[in-house]
C-alpha cells in the first residue's frame, strides 16, 4: 500500500472562496471520516491530475499545518464544459474499519486467442471492493495470456486475499471474441456474378 503525499493549504468557505481558489490553479477539497471532523482545504490542480492519471488506487497522505491524514480520493467533480477538476472529496482511512472503494485492474500477458486473430474486449477497467485499509491494493493483476477465442473471465473466477467484490460473480471482466470475417470487393463481385448466372439458368429452363 503506497501513499502519495500532498501538501494542502487552508481555504475559505463559500462559492467566492472556491472560485478564487480555482483561478489560482487550486482545487477546493474536503476531508471527512467517521471519527474526523470535516476539513476544507485546497490542493494544487497539477498534483491532483497526476494522481488521477497514475492508473493506481488513489491513496493519499494529506499534510496540512503540521498534521497528516491517510486518505483515499473518494470522489472528484469536473466542470461540464472544459473538464477541469472543480472539487474533490477525500475519505480518511481508519485502521480496522473496512472501506468500499474502486480499484483498477491490470491485465497481464497477451491472450492466446488474440494471437490467433481474436478480439480482446476489456469489459471492466476497475471494480468496487470492500476491505481493510491495510489490505488495499494499488491494482488487481489478472493474467489473461491463456484465454482462447470464446473464453472469458468473470469476477467469480478471481480470488484475492482479504478482498470482497461488491458486484455479482457473473459480471464479465474480459472476453475474447472470434475474429470478424469481412468479405473483399472481389468476393462480393464473384458472389453477384454467381447469383446472376443462377437466375439466367432458371430463365433458360423456363423457356424450354
Amino acid at each position: 500500500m503506497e501513499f502519495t503525499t500532498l501538501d494542502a493549504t487552508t481555504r475559505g468557505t463559500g462559492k467566492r472562496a472556491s472560485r478564487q481558489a480555482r483561478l489560482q490553479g487550486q482545487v477546493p477539497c474536503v476531508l471527512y471520516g467517521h471519527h474526523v471532523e470535516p476539513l476544507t482545504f485546497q490542493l494544487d490542480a497539477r498534483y491532483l491530475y497526476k494522481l488521477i492519471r497514475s492508473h493506481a488506487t488513489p491513496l493519499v497522505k494529506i499534510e496540512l499545518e503540521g498534521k497528516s491524514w491517510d486518505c483515499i480520493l473518494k470522489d472528484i467533480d469536473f466542470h461540464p464544459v472544459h473538464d477541469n477538476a472543480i472539487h474533490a472529496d477525500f475519505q480518511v482511512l481508519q485502521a480496522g474499519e473496512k472501506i468500499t472503494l474502486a480499484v483498477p485492474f491490470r491485465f497481464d500477458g497477451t491472450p492466446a486467442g488474440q494471437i490467433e486473430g481474436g478480439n480482446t474486449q476489456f469489459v471492466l477497467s476497475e471494480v468496487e471492493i470492500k476491505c481493510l485499509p491495510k489490505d488495499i491494493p494499488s491494482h488487481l493483476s489478472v493474467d489473461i495470456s491463456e484465454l482462447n477465442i470464446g473464453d472469458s473471465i468473470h469476477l467469480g473466477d478471481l480470488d484475492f486475499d482479504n478482498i470482497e467484490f461488491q458486484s455479482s460473480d457473473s459480471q464479465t471482466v474480459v472476453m475474447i471474441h472470434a475474429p470478424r470475417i469481412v468479405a473483399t470487393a472481389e468476393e462480393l463481385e464473384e458472389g453477384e456474378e454467381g447469383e446472376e448466372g443462377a437466375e439466367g439458368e432458371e430463365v433458360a429452363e423456363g423457356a424450354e
Side-chain angles (χ1 to χ4, degrees), residues 74-205:
K74 194 66 173 180
D75 191 28
I76 184 166
D77 296 326
F78 294 92
H79 192 282
V81 178
H82 48 63
D83 206 33
N84 290 339
I86 58 175
H87 190 272
D89 293 344
F90 292 85
Q91 183 176 350
V92 177
L93 301 174
Q94 300 290 342
E97 185 176 298
K98 289 188 176 182
I99 184 173
T100 300
L101 69 155
V103 174
F105 280 115
R106 187 180 73 182
F107 299 100
D108 300 326
T110 301
Q114 179 174 316
I115 296 175
E116 296 173 356
N119 300 310
T120 303
Q121 179 184 2
F122 298 102
V123 181
L124 290 184
S125 61
E126 63 179 23
V127 64
E128 193 171 72
I129 67 170
K130 188 175 184 179
C131 66
L132 293 172
K134 68 181 182 63
D135 297 319
I136 295 177
S138 61
H139 60 268
L140 297 175
S141 295
V142 179
D143 184 2
I144 59 175
S145 60
E146 296 185 4
L147 291 181
N148 294 301
I149 293 175
D151 288 347
S152 60
I153 293 178
H154 301 84
L155 286 181
D157 301 321
L158 303 176
D159 184 25
F160 295 95
D161 294 338
N162 306 316
I163 287 177
E164 304 169 26
F165 289 123
Q166 300 302 289
S167 299
S168 170
D169 285 349
S170 62
Q171 172 65 56
T172 302
V173 177
V174 59
M175 58 196 309
I176 312 300
H177 294 289
R180 294 181 60 186
I181 300 176
V182 181
T184 65
E186 293 181 356
E187 290 173 336
L188 291 174
E189 289 178 1
E190 290 177 359
E192 291 175 357
E193 291 176 359
E195 290 177 2
E196 290 177 358
E199 290 176 1
E201 291 175 1
E202 290 178 3
V203 172
E205 291 175 0

